[in-house]
Amino acid sequence: MTKAITVSGLHKSFGKTHALDGLDLDVETGEVHGFLGPNGAGKSTTIRVLLGLLRADAGAAQVLGRDPWADAVEVHRRIAYVPGDVTLWRNLSGGEVIDLYGRLHDGGRAKRVRQGGGGRRAGGLDTRRRAELVERFELDPTKKGRTYSKGNRQKVALVAAFASDVDLLILDEPTSGLDPLMEEVFQRCVEEERERGRTILLSSHILSEVEELCDRVSIIRKGRTVESGSLADLRHLTRTSVTAELAGPPNGLSHLPGVHDLAVQSIGRGQGRRVRLQVDTDKLDAVLRSLSESGVRSLTSTPPTLEELFLRHYQEKAAAR
Amino acid sequence: MTTLAVPRSGRQLAGTGTLLRFALRRDRVMIPIWVGVNALMVLSMPNTLKNLYDTPAERADLLHQVATNASFRALIGPVFDTDLGALTAWRGGVYAGALAAVMSLIIVVRHTRDEEESGRQELVASGMVGRRASLTAALLAAAVANAVLALLVAAGLAGQGATGALALGLGLAGVGMLFSTMAAILAQLTESARLARGLTAAVLGTAFVLRAAGDSATTDGSSVLTWLSPLGWLENLRPYADERWWVLLLFAAAVAVQAAMAYELAGRRDVGMSFLPTRPGPAMGRLGTAGALAWRLQRGSVYGWSIGFFLAGVVYGGLTEGVADLVGDNENAREIFQRMGGQSGITDAFLASMVGMLGLIAALYVVGSVLRLHGEETSMRAEPVLANAVGRLRWAGGHLMIAFTGAALIMLLAGLGFAVGYGKQLGPILGACLVQLPAVWVVGGLAVLLYGVLPRAAVAAWGVAGAVLLIGWVGPALDAPQAVLDVSPFGHLPKLPGGGMEWGPVLVLLGLAVVLTAAGLAGLRRRDMTT
């Protein structure tokens, strides 16, 4: 498989701030790649380097086999981008912006580029697909830019991106303003794009979103890549917090593999117990079996937050030394 | 748990003090510049006028000329007395009043509709802030600025007589406050700050035209048309000529009524909403190129400047004959015009100096137009455009095309206007207008250079345009040394019509404009986009 994006040892400083500190990133063609990191980790900076808006201080970046700084226009012809914070022109309607972005892919009806395979490639919008997306996202394309809410501005950019005929979609925290229903529409759109063989780089700070959609993820922190691989590879990083109220004392929980930070409390005067524990997500099944033997009255489980994940990741590294 | 005091419905002004301090802090550079430049202009008048009209005979002559020359009265207004104070109020009053009005409308719209449009108001309003606090703070900020202006003028002109100085100061503040409350009303009606500013400016323009029409019809400002205009009130306050203090009551009443209307409107609407709703746009767009987008974004401003320049040409062209007669009789005034407009017949010198004036103003257009690039970039609207198959040069080129050809367009229209108003000499006047362009483009080129190479300092281009304007306007009147006049590209232009065409400096300026623009674009290509 060829790579859609290869980045190695990327450095970028703004004054004294090192936004990128040797970042690596590999995105295979045709995959949905999660780009995870807490706020300020350098996700958006990386994306701006990939778009040729920023020039890296050191390191190499290739997008669709080209240098994004030197060949920006040629690269952009084959990618669509959705920023995390979409700003629109106050006096242009959403529909006008969608069509503008579509046509700008064409370089303004300019020369069309012949690709290696001989296929004709150009941007421009598929009008049927555009109409369908406008409907699915429940967007009113006649409203002027200044009257859209954050979520609706986001939808304008998403419709423009999903309706363009491109090879690579770069989405920078694209769901930050969407409600849960629209997030589902977004996820289905991503699935469809994957089926069409397009590559997607999805930046996010929400682990569950990435788990839902991505084939592989890269996790970055402070401008460096800390983990990269398929979700199965990273399963060891995900731990679920479980809190349960049991009818009786738990049995043998502490001996089960993958259980951490176990705490048991009595509730009231009877046999009831409250159990809190952390469990490696791939060992969840055995823990639930054991809990239900003691009679489960209530159960909550929460997926780990990204920050918890990082904390654990670093603690493990420190312990290993 | 801390207990938060909940504002009662009666506390509509809660937080006004904090918001006012915040507004004054945000405007700590803008207000002093506006007030300072305006006050300096007024305070420098006695000296300038003393040089122009020194002897009683000269002043009596001026009085006679103004009384008999309607176009001169339309331009500046009637003279009521011959002492320097009265002449200052005559020569500077209307223009200082207009400047105070522009300052006030900018302050008020900036702290009301601008805040709502950007969404910042929601955050502020969610704090301990009463419903009327923001509007009150904006009006108070404008009041502070106008009060300082009144104080400076009253104190600075006291040497010519304290009573007249006080009247002029209060009159200027009155005009300022009248337009700040007018802006407060219009900011309730429109959803866009730009439109609110434009409408208030249109009211100001109407006030100027009414006064001009009234003053050309009567010699003592008694026309109904003059009384319909706040700028006419200022003149009818008659500073230094038996002040009519009761005119100040007109200002006070108008300010009170307009403020009440603004509060009434503000109390009846939701935050961010307006009384004139935004019309929906097309569901399908036809914009297809970066250039078309640039035109779409800038066309309103190009139309506005075009109309303004054409009308200015018609007005000044129409005044040419009369003013040239008047000025021709005054040795000193003739000298100033000839310094600005060249050593030829006084009509040509007047035309040339007026065309030169418009050239200087066109420099403001070109800077504003070039800096649209900066606005697009810092508002993050450039980023998604550039993420499409649009190179930076193509993107910037669209805006620069409008900036540079737009400057040519408005100068051409000004020339046509002059020819219409003056009725002859179409060719020479058009030539005079077009010969301004190399200098205008040099200023534009400097703006491109600043934007491309030092994007953080891009707004300094306004400073460049301001300096050029100051040198061009004030330089000749003060008989500034050639070295100072030479700093401005406009100082090197041939004085047309009347003078001979000199290709040398024109070509050098053209070359300079090309080099500056190219250097700026090269910088833009190499640098990071602001994120």
Side-chain angles (χ1 to χ4, degrees):
Chain A
M1 237 196 227
T2 52
K3 309 256 193 218
I5 298 175
T6 51
V7 166
S8 60
L10 213 55
H11 284 262
K12 180 73 193 175
S13 308
F14 300 106
K16 284 179 182 167
T17 334
H18 297 280
L20 299 183
D21 192 13
L23 184 124
D24 304 310
L25 176 66
D26 281 296
V27 178
E28 309 282 345
T29 299
E31 73 173 354
V32 179
H33 194 101
F35 193 39
L36 269 172
N39 293 326
K43 300 190 294 293
S44 294
T45 304
T46 309
I47 285 176
R48 288 186 179 122
V49 170
L50 294 178
L51 291 171
L53 295 168
L54 299 178
R55 171 141 59 176
D57 297 334
Q62 281 219 321
V63 178
L64 301 173
R66 288 170 186 265
D67 178 344
W69 176 265
D71 300 331
V73 172
E74 288 311 312
V75 171
H76 293 171
R77 216 179 283 280
R78 298 170 57 201
I79 66 183
Y81 165 59
V82 175
D85 194 357
V86 180
T87 43
L88 301 176
W89 296 273
R90 314 166 183 287
N91 53 353
L92 293 190
S93 71
E96 282 182 288
V97 173
I98 292 171
D99 291 332
L100 170 71
Y101 286 163
R103 298 211 180 91
L104 287 181
H105 259 114
D106 243 339
R109 298 179 296 270
K111 54 184 187 283
R112 302 199 160 199
V113 183
R114 218 164 253 286
Q115 292 300 306
R120 245 160 134 59
R121 280 213 173 275
L125 294 187
D126 175 340
T127 45
R128 240 190 28 228
R129 172 102 172 124
R130 176 197 188 275
E132 178 206 326
L133 285 163
V134 165
E135 189 156 324
R136 280 167 73 183
F137 277 107
E138 295 173 18
L139 177 73
D140 177 356
T142 64
K143 282 174 74 173
K144 297 276 179 76
R146 60 168 164 262
T147 58
Y148 281 121
S149 66
K150 176 171 166 52
N152 280 318
R153 291 200 302 268
Q154 208 88 43
K155 290 180 197 171
V156 168
L158 285 170
V159 170
F162 285 133
S164 15
D165 179 17
V166 292
D167 298 326
L168 170 65
L169 289 140
I170 296 183
L171 313 176
D172 189 2
E173 302 194 2
T175 58
S176 48
L178 298 185
D179 63 39
L181 281 177
M182 287 304 134
E183 237 183 280
E184 229 178 273
V185 175
F186 166 78
Q187 294 190 353
R188 277 205 302 277
C189 287
V190 170
E191 296 290 351
E192 289 165 20
E193 296 302 311
R194 190 216 316 264
E195 279 158 27
R196 288 171 204 210
R198 289 174 189 164
T199 312
I200 297 179
L201 179 66
L202 173 64
S203 127
S204 177
H205 61 270
I206 307 162
L207 188 60
S208 58
E209 178 177 280
V210 170
E211 278 184 304
E212 192 85 32
L213 294 172
C214 296
D215 307 305
R216 293 195 317 135
V217 292
S218 292
I219 300 178
I220 71 164
R221 186 170 190 270
K222 291 186 176 168
R224 262 173 214 269
T225 314
V226 290
E227 281 290 340
S228 192
S230 72
L231 278 171
D233 295 340
L234 300 184
R235 199 52 85 189
H236 69 280
L237 283 172
T238 67
R239 247 181 226 179
T240 306
S241 311
V242 176
T243 306
E245 284 184 20
L246 305 179
N251 200 356
L253 261 184
S254 53
H255 302 299
L256 285 178
V259 172
H260 312 268
D261 305 333
L262 178 66
V264 183
Q265 276 178 299
S266 302
I267 327 174
R269 262 172 274 159
Q271 296 282 301
R273 297 285 189 278
R274 177 180 288 129
V275 176
R276 292 170 200 276
L277 58 86
Q278 307 251 324
V279 55
D280 294 343
T281 306
D282 48 353
K283 304 288 191 323
L284 198 53
D285 188 47
V287 170
L288 288 183
R289 248 181 253 274
S290 163
L291 286 174
S292 63
E293 278 168 21
S294 311
V296 177
R297 285 180 186 160
S298 80
L299 179 83
T300 53
S301 77
T302 40
T305 66
L306 205 55
E307 278 303 333
E308 280 172 357
L309 212 130
F310 287 130
L311 270 172
R312 191 163 313 118
H313 182 83
Y314 279 87
Q315 280 164 355
E316 275 170 12
K317 275 211 164 150
R321 275 190 200 133
Chain B
M1 276 286 288
T2 45
T3 324
L4 292 173
V6 178
R8 281 166 287 127
S9 57
R11 294 187 57 192
Q12 298 213 332
L13 295 177
T16 303
T18 315
L19 288 180
L20 173 62
R21 277 195 299 279
F22 182 55
L24 290 176
R25 178 166 162 69
R26 282 184 59 201
D27 291 349
R28 64 189 183 278
V29 177
M30 187 184 91
I31 289 180
I33 288 179
W34 272 101
V35 171
V37 167
N38 201 351
L40 266 182
M41 187 191 87
V42 175
L43 298 184
S44 69
M45 282 284 164
N47 213 13
T48 315
L49 292 165
K50 192 171 188 307
N51 292 335
L52 274 174
Y53 310 105
D54 201 19
T55 66
E58 278 173 331
R59 291 188 197 179
D61 191 39
L62 172 72
L63 225 60
H64 173 71
Q65 292 284 358
V66 173
T68 55
N69 190 322
S71 42
F72 205 30
R73 283 199 309 278
L75 206 57
I76 308 181
V79 190
F80 295 111
D81 209 338
T82 54
D83 63 329
L84 282 179
L87 290 179
T88 298
W90 161 70
R91 186 66 187 82
V94 167
Y95 292 91
L99 272 183
V102 173
M103 168 185 78
S104 303
L105 80 89
I106 288 176
I107 292 175
V108 168
V109 174
R110 179 171 149 83
H111 293 295
T112 53
R113 181 52 70 181
D114 252 334
E115 289 295 278
E116 286 186 52
E117 202 180 8
S118 65
R120 290 188 291 261
Q121 180 62 22
E122 281 174 37
L123 197 62
V124 172
S126 68
M128 279 266 301
V129 167
R131 238 178 190 294
R132 296 181 162 180
S134 297
L135 181 52
T136 310
L139 289 175
L140 285 178
V144 167
N146 282 301
V148 173
L149 175 65
L151 266 176
L152 287 176
V153 168
L157 281 184
Q160 312 298 328
T163 320
L166 186 64
L168 183 58
L170 288 176
L172 293 178
V175 174
M177 284 317 291
L178 192 141
F179 278 94
S180 65
T181 45
M182 174 61 70
I185 293 175
L186 292 170
Q188 311 303 321
L189 295 183
T190 62
E191 223 168 79
S192 125
R194 189 177 292 200
L195 188 56
R197 277 189 289 265
L199 288 176
T200 318
V203 173
L204 176 60
T206 311
F208 192 90
V209 169
L210 285 174
R211 184 212 56 79
D215 281 343
S216 68
T218 59
T219 56
D220 58 354
S222 62
S223 160
V224 178
L225 294 178
T226 308
W227 280 107
L228 282 176
S229 160
L231 294 172
W233 299 355
L234 176 62
E235 141 195 331
N236 276 320
L237 177 60
R238 298 203 174 173
Y240 289 104
D242 286 333
E243 291 81 4
R244 295 168 168 169
W245 293 105
W246 56 269
V247 174
L248 289 176
L249 290 178
L250 280 182
F251 282 114
V255 167
V257 168
Q258 293 189 154
M261 280 178 67
Y263 279 120
E264 184 61 27
L265 291 172
R268 283 164 180 269
R269 65 180 185 87
D270 300 333
V271 170
M273 297 293 120
S274 71
F275 287 96
L276 304 176
T278 307
R279 278 173 303 160
M284 307 289 270
R286 292 195 304 193
L287 292 175
T289 62
L293 174 66
W295 170 243
R296 177 66 192 272
L297 297 177
Q298 294 213 30
R299 68 181 181 192
S301 131
V302 172
Y303 293 153
W305 280 91
S306 298
I307 294 169
F309 264 53
F310 180 74
L311 291 182
V314 172
V315 170
Y316 286 120
L319 294 177
T320 301
E321 210 84 68
V323 173
D325 283 352
L326 171 83
V327 171
D329 293 344
N330 184 300
E331 200 52 43
N332 294 312
R334 187 215 301 265
E335 225 172 82
I336 290 183
F337 275 118
Q338 290 182 339
R339 254 179 248 145
M340 286 173 89
Q343 301 287 340
S344 52
I346 186 66
T347 311
D348 279 346
F350 178 78
L351 274 176
S353 58
M354 289 300 121
V355 168
M357 202 81 94
L358 288 177
L360 292 169
I361 296 175
L364 292 177
Y365 160 80
V366 87
V367 167
S369 183
V370 167
L371 290 191
R372 274 298 181 96
L373 288 171
H374 186 245
E376 288 291 291
E377 183 181 343
T378 50
S379 66
M380 312 291 284
R381 289 192 290 260
E383 186 183 287
V385 173
L386 290 172
N388 288 300
V390 175
R392 289 185 190 184
L393 292 187
R394 183 187 287 261
W395 170 73
H399 284 276
L400 295 187
M401 186 66 116
I402 292 165
F404 289 94
T405 58
L409 174 74
I410 64 174
M411 285 313 293
L412 201 66
L413 287 169
L416 287 175
F418 265 107
V420 168
Y422 185 45
K424 45 192 166 189
Q425 286 204 317
L426 174 65
I429 293 177
L430 281 184
C433 287
L434 294 181
V435 92
Q436 305 293 321
L437 287 174
V440 175
W441 288 338
V442 166
V443 176
L446 267 170
V448 179
L449 182 71
L450 278 168
Y451 167 68
V453 177
L454 293 170
R456 274 163 210 271
V459 286
W462 286 115
V464 172
V468 165
L469 212 64
L470 205 67
I471 293 173
W473 272 356
V474 184
L478 296 183
D479 198 8
Q482 194 59 38
V484 173
L485 299 182
D486 280 349
V487 171
S488 163
F490 288 89
H492 302 277
L493 294 174
K495 313 285 191 199
L496 294 181
M501 177 64 189
E502 298 159 41
W503 284 103
V506 167
L507 290 176
V508 169
L509 288 173
L510 273 179
L512 192 58
V514 170
V515 169
L516 289 169
T517 306
L521 287 175
L524 174 65
R525 261 184 95 174
R526 286 160 178 277
R527 72 173 169 85
D528 290 341
M529 296 303 282
T530 316
T531 53

